[in-house]
Structure formats: C-alpha cells, structure tokens
Amino acid sequence: MSLHQDKDEADFTHPIVSFSLGLPTIFDFGGATRDAPKIAVYLEHGDVLVWGGRSRLNYHGVRRIKSGVHPLLGPYRYNLTFRRSQP
C-alpha cells in the first residue's frame, strides 16, 4: 500500500493501532508531507504499531510483501487497523 494518510475521521485525537499477522513486511513511516524522509520499520507476526498525537496524520504505507509461508497463516499477511470513527 503506497504512502497515504488516514484522514477520513472527524476527530484525529485518537491514535491509530495496527496489528501485523502472518508474513513480514516493511512499514514506511514518513512525515506530514508525502516527500518527507521516511523511517523503515520491519514488521513481523504479532507486532503492533500505535501512532497518534502530532504524528497522527503522518504519511505511511507498506512495501510489497515477499512470497513466503508463515507457519500459522500460510502465504498471507493480515493487517488489522483500528481507528476511531464517528458517523
């Protein structure tokens, strides 16, 4: 998933919580603009990322997932992302 912001919510005071399951990937965490420098974070099964506050609207994304087989989940990577949304 290319660099993007999660900004569909009306209230950005709550953090984003992201759970990684299955195959590993690299998560790119950037800044307030798309061209800001990025930090590469290696994510493995069971890793959790939480960001909020001033970084809540930072650009972020994951790189292409390499082929492989996870011992519990097979050839897949799952990501569960939680954000507080309001109707």
Side-chain angles (χ1 to χ4, degrees):
M1 178 175 274
S2 63
L3 287 178
H4 66 281
Q5 295 173 303
D6 291 332
K7 59 182 183 177
D8 294 333
E9 300 82 10
D11 179 2
F12 299 123
T13 60
H14 301 279
I16 296 172
V17 181
S18 176
F19 294 88
S20 291
L21 302 170
L23 293 176
T25 193
I26 296 176
F27 178 85
D28 287 321
F29 190 74
T33 61
R34 188 180 297 278
D35 59 347
K38 298 181 290 296
I39 298 170
V41 180
Y42 184 74
L43 296 177
E44 295 182 294
H45 178 78
D47 286 343
V48 178
L49 286 176
V50 178
W51 69 97
R54 293 186 327 191
S55 67
R56 170 62 176 75
L57 290 174
N58 282 22
Y59 280 85
H60 58 280
V62 294
R63 297 184 191 176
R64 177 175 231 99
I65 299 163
K66 294 181 182 177
S67 297
V69 177
H70 186 272
L72 297 173
L73 298 175
Y76 304 103
R77 176 181 185 274
Y78 297 95
N79 175 262
L80 304 174
T81 300
F82 296 91
R83 303 178 286 161
R84 182 173 183 193
S85 65
Q86 300 169 336

